[in-house]
């Protein structure tokens, strides 16, 4: 007789989506086991002390939250605080004051557009474009927590189906250029289509439109908020909700094989000592990336998934002063764009697509601790330390393969030089030092992300984002979580139609799918 444990659901991977699925399922009375290969839960949504002797808990990978629906927070009673930033973005412009966009665009934003472009026309175009974006976001956001709508039904829910159509059918560069003329201002908008997405904004079929949509739709406002306590506080609250509901969470448990049958699935895993374990499940919920799941099912993974970002984590002894004279506490409080004009994005894309590290890497930086000093230890807070996160674009994994360490070093050298061009004092002089006297700067290429998080190719969404609508007639009315096997459902960012980023939507959809069936 088989003495194996049997669960209603075994969740593979305790990324935040796996945790959300576990919390919903256990909360509905299902027996749930969550298996996570790492020693901690959270996947790419974690906080940790990165530098020895420096008590600062950095959001080592993801850092801002927009797509997590308030509904999931309320359903699971998640104890998290998401703080608004007063500044949405600041764009450094050589020789000028730069472009400031406040969260609530007021006279300072208007004056900044005027100073940059010499007229009020650009700000008017910006208001028109983002007015349309806001209406689209308000109309689309509620559909994300419903079963998938057909394209026709979705379009019928929108006040501005024209923008939805344009994003899907036209090159993102053209859609943005309809309203915006300035190279700098266009770039601010286009970066939303390129975060974590290597795409040609002039190609109507590229993933840039989808990526922009996910960056503007969260909770109907598209506001990117600061998780107080860092990203680890978000996944920590999800793990707490799952445990409180009765789910069992096992870390250092690497799933090695899934054997699906008609009536269930046997899940095999190993622990840190190499001991082998197995459990039976009525259903398996896959919180790991689709390529991982393919491997576990003995199928060749679909190839080609590749991330394109450079992530740099830093702790500063003080914020650097800016050449523009703008207060660094204003500039770094929002998303600080560097070398992200439309022309610079095009040039970097062309070089990277041709297999070269871009001469000028477009990137953005952001200081978490200005909005939320709670991530700083007492001594670091008293000393005035600050955090800094840098996210570089158009640096695909392939560029790092021949010489991972040397290419990463060169990429860091370039972005530091590029940032220094806007600073009144070198960044290096402002970095805090760790216990070994080393500057507090840690960089990760997509290859590093793949190695540490099992995200295929280091792609931050596990693969290109999908339009949040049924892609086929069969998909209409479903939750977009099906795999080839009815006993195995997807929950992850890349495995589900609408699961991208820190949203919990993949886990939510997987749980709704299962709870409606059993
Ligand atoms: C550098 C970076 C910056 C980002 N910035 C943001 C941001 O600011 N805002 C935002 O919204 N999104 C951001 N993202 C994207 C976002 O973090 C991810 O899309 C999201 O966290 C994915 O969550 P997930 O739960 O679907 O998958 P993951 O977080 O990938 O979790 C999958 C889990 O499965 C585990 N696993 C894998 N294989 C196995 C196995 N065989 N057995 C057991 N466990 C296994 C992994 O260890 C992992 O814990 C960023 C991502 C990165 C990498």
């Amino acid at each position: 007789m088989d003495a194996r444990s049997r669960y209603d659901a075994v969740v593979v991977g305790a990324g935040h989506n796996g945790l959300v699925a576990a919390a919903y399922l256990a909360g509905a009375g299902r027996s749930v086991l969550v298996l996570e290969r790492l020693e901690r839960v959270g996947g790419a949504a974690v906080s940790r002390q990165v530098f020895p002797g420096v008590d600062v808990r950095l959001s080592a990978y993801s850092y801002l939250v927009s797509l997590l629906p308030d509904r999931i927070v309320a359903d699971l009673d998640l104890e998290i605080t998401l703080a608004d930033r007063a500044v949405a973005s600041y764009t450094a412009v050589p020789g000028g004051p730069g472009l400031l966009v406040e969260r609530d665009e007021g006279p300072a934003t208007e004056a900044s557009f005027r100073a940059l472009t010499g007229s009020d026309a650009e700000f008017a175009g910006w208001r028109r474009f983002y007015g349309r974006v806001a209406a689209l976001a308000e109309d689309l956001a509620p559909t994300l927590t419903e079963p998938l709508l057909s394209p026709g039904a979705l379009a019928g829910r929108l006040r501005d189906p024209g923008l939805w159509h344009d994003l899907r059918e036209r090159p993102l560069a053209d859609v943005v250029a309809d309203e915006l003329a300035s190279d700098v201002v266009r770039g601010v908008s286009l970066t939303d289509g390129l975060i974590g997405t290597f795409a040609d904004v002039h190609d109507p079929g590229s993933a840039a439109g989808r990526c922009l949509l996910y960056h503007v739709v969260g909770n109907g406002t598209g506001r990117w908020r600061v998780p107080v306590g860092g990203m680890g506080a978000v996944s920590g609250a999800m793990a707490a909700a799952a445990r409180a509901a009765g789910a069992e969470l096992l870390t250092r448990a690497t799933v090695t094989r899934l054997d699906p049958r008609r009536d269930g699935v046997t899940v095999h895993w190993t622990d840190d000592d190499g001991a082998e374990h197995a459990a039976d499940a009525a259903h398996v919920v896959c919180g790991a990336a689709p390529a991982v799941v393919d491997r576990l099912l003995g199928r060749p993974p679909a190839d080609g998934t590749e991330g394109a970002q450079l992530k740099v984590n830093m702790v500063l002894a003080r914020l650097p002063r800016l050449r523009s004279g703008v207060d660094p506490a204003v500039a770094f409080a929002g998303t600080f764009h560097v070398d992200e004009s439309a022309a610079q994005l095009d040039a970097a894309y062309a070089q990277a697509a041709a297999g070269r590290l871009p001469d000028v890497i477009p990137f953005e930086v952001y200081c978490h601790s200005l909005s939320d000093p709670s991530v700083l230890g007492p001594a670091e807070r008293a000393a005035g330390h600050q955090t800094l996160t840098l996210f570089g674009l158009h640096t695909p994994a392939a560029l790092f393969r021949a010489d991972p360490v040397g290419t990463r070093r060169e990429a860091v050298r370039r972005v530091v030089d590029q940032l220094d061009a806007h600073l009144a004092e070198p960044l290096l002089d402002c970095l805090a030092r760790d216990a070994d006297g080393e500057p507090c700067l840690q960089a990760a290429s997509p290859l590093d992300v793949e190695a540490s998080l099992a995200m295929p190719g280091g792609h931050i969404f596990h693969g290109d984002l999908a339009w949040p609508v049924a892609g086929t007639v069969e998909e209409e009315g479903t939750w977009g979580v099906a795999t080839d096997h009815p006993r195995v459902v997807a929950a992850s960012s890349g495995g589900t139609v609408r699961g991208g980023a820190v949203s919990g939507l993949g886990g939510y959809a997987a749980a709704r799918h299962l709870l409606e069936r059993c």
Side-chain angles (χ1 to χ4, degrees):
M1 203 174 118
D2 194 343
R4 279 199 296 254
S5 316
R6 184 174 169 91
Y7 294 87
D8 292 324
V10 171
V11 180
V12 180
H16 84 286
N17 271 315
L19 294 169
V20 165
Y24 273 104
L25 290 169
R30 306 301 190 268
S31 57
V32 180
L33 172 68
V34 183
L35 300 169
E36 167 56 47
R37 62 187 262 277
L38 296 174
E39 70 294 346
R40 48 156 181 82
V41 300
V46 287
S47 304
R48 60 186 163 87
Q49 181 179 329
V50 173
F51 304 106
V54 182
D55 181 10
V56 177
R57 290 175 308 286
L58 294 174
S59 301
Y61 303 101
S62 54
Y63 46 100
L64 287 169
V65 178
S66 173
L67 285 150
L68 176 65
D70 293 343
R71 175 184 180 156
I72 294 181
V73 176
D75 281 354
L76 299 180
D77 210 6
L78 299 179
E79 288 200 16
I80 58 175
T81 307
L82 301 174
D84 269 315
R85 307 183 295 175
V87 176
S89 73
Y90 171 76
T91 302
V93 178
L99 177 67
L100 175 74
V101 180
E102 301 153 290
R103 187 197 67 195
D104 297 319
E105 295 159 8
T109 303
E110 192 170 359
S112 190
F113 271 83
R114 194 179 306 125
L116 177 78
T117 62
S119 85
D120 288 326
E122 193 72 359
F123 187 53
W126 174 274
R127 297 290 291 253
R128 275 195 305 276
F129 181 59
Y130 282 101
R132 294 184 70 191
V133 164
L136 184 62
E138 268 176 38
D139 295 343
L140 263 180
T143 72
L144 299 178
T145 47
E146 296 173 19
L148 285 165
L149 294 169
S150 69
L154 183 66
R157 296 267 291 263
L158 306 176
R159 281 167 289 169
D160 188 352
L163 180 57
W164 168 244
H165 169 273
D166 283 357
L167 288 173
R168 284 164 60 94
E169 305 295 338
R170 296 176 59 210
L172 184 60
D174 292 359
V175 177
V176 165
D178 283 350
E179 294 290 7
L180 304 173
S182 153
D183 186 38
V184 169
V185 180
R186 284 181 186 175
V188 174
S189 293
L190 290 173
T191 53
D192 275 343
L194 297 171
I195 294 289
T197 299
F198 186 56
D200 179 359
V201 293
H202 300 280
D203 173 359
S206 86
R210 281 171 264 161
C211 183
L212 179 124
L213 186 75
Y214 279 83
H215 277 88
V216 298
V217 78
N219 272 311
T221 66
R223 278 188 183 172
W224 286 87
R225 293 183 287 172
V226 178
V228 172
M231 270 297 179
V234 175
S235 54
M238 292 166 174
R243 281 196 189 97
E248 238 176 278
L249 270 57
L250 270 191
T251 53
R252 302 174 193 272
T254 302
V255 178
T256 51
R257 204 170 84 231
L258 298 174
D259 288 333
R261 298 177 310 277
R262 227 159 51 87
D263 62 343
V265 186
T266 304
V267 182
H268 302 265
W269 76 94
T270 54
D271 62 25
D272 259 7
D273 301 324
E276 297 184 3
H277 306 267
D280 285 325
H283 289 93
V284 161
V285 175
C286 293
V292 174
V293 179
D294 282 340
R295 193 166 39 73
L296 298 178
L297 287 167
R299 296 190 301 225
D303 52 17
T305 298
E306 187 163 279
Q309 75 290 337
L310 175 75
K311 176 83 182 346
V312 186
N313 292 314
M314 291 171 264
V315 176
L316 305 179
R318 63 179 184 283
L319 284 177
R321 285 175 287 112
L322 297 175
R323 285 194 183 174
S324 63
V326 170
D327 180 355
V330 171
F332 287 102
T335 299
F336 184 141
H337 297 266
V338 177
D339 296 329
E340 289 189 331
S341 75
Q344 286 169 317
L345 292 169
D346 284 348
Y349 178 79
Q351 288 185 333
R356 284 176 50 195
L357 190 67
D359 295 330
V360 176
I361 298 174
F363 67 89
E364 42 207 60
V365 284
Y366 143 72
C367 174
H368 179 107
S369 52
L370 280 171
S371 306
D372 167 31
S374 77
V375 297
L376 305 170
E380 287 72 10
R381 196 165 175 169
H385 281 22
Q386 300 284 359
T387 64
L388 205 61
T389 281
L390 183 151
F391 192 98
L393 308 183
H394 292 340
T395 51
L399 304 182
F400 294 85
R401 288 223 161 81
D403 177 10
V405 175
T407 310
R408 187 181 60 209
R409 191 184 308 119
E410 177 57 20
V412 171
R413 190 191 65 72
R414 289 183 196 184
V415 292
V416 169
D417 280 358
Q418 289 170 236
L419 185 55
D420 275 349
H422 299 284
L423 305 181
E425 50 188 333
L427 176 70
L428 195 61
D429 289 359
C430 300
L431 289 173
R433 301 269 162 174
D434 70 14
D436 304 320
E438 296 295 326
C440 293
L441 182 150
Q442 177 225 40
S445 74
L447 298 185
D448 300 314
V449 169
E450 178 173 41
S452 52
L453 295 179
M455 289 178 131
H459 198 302
I460 72 168
F461 307 126
H462 300 166
D464 282 345
L465 296 163
W467 294 109
V469 64
T472 60
V473 175
E474 293 71 40
E475 221 171 38
E476 288 171 21
T478 74
W479 289 98
V481 298
T483 71
D484 290 349
H485 199 285
R487 294 278 170 176
V488 179
V489 301
S492 71
S493 174
T496 57
V497 173
R498 298 168 293 189
V502 178
S503 67
L505 283 167
Y508 172 84
R512 291 293 303 263
H513 169 93
L514 286 181
L515 292 174
E516 282 171 13
R517 271 158 193 77
C518 45

